[in-house]
Amino acid sequence: MSKVSNSSKSSRKVIISCAVTGATHVPSMSAYLPITPAQIRDQAIEAAEAGAAIIHLHARNPDDGRPTPDPEVFGQFVPAIVKATDAVINITTGGSTRMTLAERLAYPRLLQPEMCSLNMGSMNFSIHPVAAKITDWAHDWEKDYVEGMEDMVFKNTFSDIKKIMLELGAQGTRFEFECYDVSHLYNLAHFVEQGLVKAPFFIQAAFGILGGIGADPENMTVMRATADRLFGRENYHFSVLGAGRHQLSLVTMAAIMGGNVRVGLEDSVYIAKGVKAESNAQQVRKIRHILEELSFEIATPAEAREMLGLKGGDRISL
């Protein structure tokens, strides 16, 4: 396996990623969830200013908050974020369980971004138990959307993953490999063996999603040790997201274990127990404060680009 540069291996700075809106949470879950292009733009810019080196983006229908893959909607906020910040723009290829692969790839094909998320396998992915806790739905589509997750599968076959790697990789896009279980690390190892993934690569281990690995701290040790065994620690960068109430504790643990962190309203709509986060930036500021109190340095976008071997923001296609 190829080795990463000395500068990447020696860096101990922590990359903060911010997942701004996602496609799982619905407007009824938080009045602060950004829905319109202007809201997504403003919250993304504020999160970057707060210290997020990577901004992970989905799009939503501005009328009702429904997830959308429409490139026209993405185009209403991504160029403005690029113009206003130096953050790495990370576009979803996951979209939602209700989108086809062609729909999910529509905007990445146009933008040719520095980074895209890439789920490393098909899986049950659900928050359907949350529906029982919501009594006042803001839009007609939301209740069926959340309850319907019980019978939905997120599809990313080996063929799908290979197609994404080959097509977007040819444009110089690198990936946030989203691994929701130990098996996803082995799926990634398969593509490394096939020569489709080159070091340094960025593993985003996701904990606490129903259908994936649980949020027990012991599971982070399992994921980290498995990645070390499969890839060699010098060949990858480890990052963690924790769903819901697990967000801050798990990502703090990740940094202590030598990894990076992801926060954002895609992963949790809370800032503290029972308290809704009023913005993505509020979560970024909180985790930055925690990390700096623990004597960690926060990576700038330029440092994140060097660590992850990205092509640079000047090589995307706006």
Side-chain angles (χ1 to χ4, degrees):
M1 183 179 292
S2 61
K3 300 296 182 179
V4 300
S5 67
N6 289 334
S7 62
S8 292
K9 287 191 293 183
S10 63
S11 175
R12 290 293 297 122
K13 295 191 176 182
V14 178
I15 298 171
I16 299 176
S17 295
C18 183
V20 174
T21 189
T24 303
H25 295 151
V26 297
S28 294
M29 295 174 66
S30 174
Y32 304 108
L33 186 71
I35 298 301
T36 68
Q39 291 168 344
I40 295 171
R41 176 200 67 207
D42 291 348
Q43 287 215 32
I45 292 170
E46 188 183 4
E49 291 171 345
I54 298 174
I55 301 295
H56 175 55
L57 296 169
H58 290 242
R60 290 179 179 266
N61 183 314
D63 295 326
D64 63 6
R66 190 190 305 263
T68 178
D70 188 349
E72 183 176 343
V73 179
F74 274 103
Q76 292 176 42
F77 58 84
V78 171
I81 297 169
V82 173
K83 183 177 180 180
T85 79
D86 188 37
V88 175
I89 302 302
N90 174 353
I91 303 296
T92 180
T93 68
S96 81
T97 54
R98 289 157 173 79
M99 297 176 191
T100 67
L101 181 60
E103 288 173 330
R104 288 155 43 197
L105 291 181
Y107 190 63
R109 283 169 168 158
L110 291 177
L111 184 66
Q112 303 180 22
E114 293 184 81
M115 178 171 280
C116 281
S117 65
L118 178 51
N119 291 37
M120 290 310 298
S122 302
M123 63 178 291
N124 295 328
F125 185 114
S126 185
I127 63 165
H128 68 270
V130 173
K133 302 176 183 179
I134 301 175
T135 57
D136 186 16
W137 298 92
H139 301 284
D140 291 341
W141 66 272
E142 294 179 292
K143 188 173 187 289
D144 288 342
Y145 182 83
V146 176
E147 290 181 339
M149 292 182 187
E150 187 175 13
D151 195 37
M152 297 294 294
V153 173
F154 177 79
K155 174 183 172 291
N156 237 25
T157 64
F158 286 107
S159 177
D160 292 337
I161 295 169
K162 183 177 180 180
K163 179 180 180 65
I164 294 168
M165 286 180 173
L166 288 174
E167 185 170 337
L168 299 185
Q171 302 172 351
T173 298
R174 293 179 67 83
F175 299 98
E176 172 197 20
F177 295 107
E178 296 195 349
C179 296
Y180 290 83
D181 215 330
V182 177
S183 62
H184 290 181
L185 293 173
Y186 283 89
N187 291 351
L188 177 57
H190 164 75
F191 289 106
V192 172
E193 291 170 359
Q194 297 295 309
L196 295 178
V197 179
K198 304 295 184 183
F201 44 90
F202 190 47
I203 294 174
Q204 189 70 255
F207 298 88
I209 294 292
L210 184 59
I213 196 167
D216 306 283
E218 293 84 355
N219 285 339
M220 193 181 304
T221 303
V222 172
M223 292 286 278
R224 183 65 152 150
T226 302
D228 284 349
R229 185 171 63 254
L230 290 174
F231 311 116
R233 187 168 293 197
E234 71 276 12
N235 289 300
Y236 76 99
H237 292 279
F238 190 69
S239 185
V240 164
L241 71 86
R245 67 185 185 275
H246 308 290
Q247 183 182 76
L248 287 173
S249 58
L250 286 180
V251 302
T252 301
M253 181 178 172
I256 292 170
M257 292 177 63
N260 305 284
V261 306
R262 178 172 129 172
V263 294
L265 297 184
E266 173 174 349
D267 302 332
S268 174
V269 296
Y270 291 93
I271 190 66
K273 185 176 181 179
V275 180
K276 297 287 178 67
E278 296 183 8
S279 69
N280 282 274
Q282 188 180 24
Q283 291 186 351
V284 173
R285 285 191 290 266
K286 184 165 185 176
I287 191 58
R288 180 173 186 167
H289 174 74
I290 291 170
L291 296 179
E292 289 179 337
E293 286 294 300
L294 294 172
S295 299
F296 290 106
E297 293 184 70
I298 306 304
T300 65
E303 290 165 337
R305 287 184 172 94
E306 182 181 5
M307 292 166 67
L308 302 178
L310 303 181
K311 65 181 180 179
D314 59 337
R315 293 183 59 196
I316 65 176
S317 180
L318 288 174

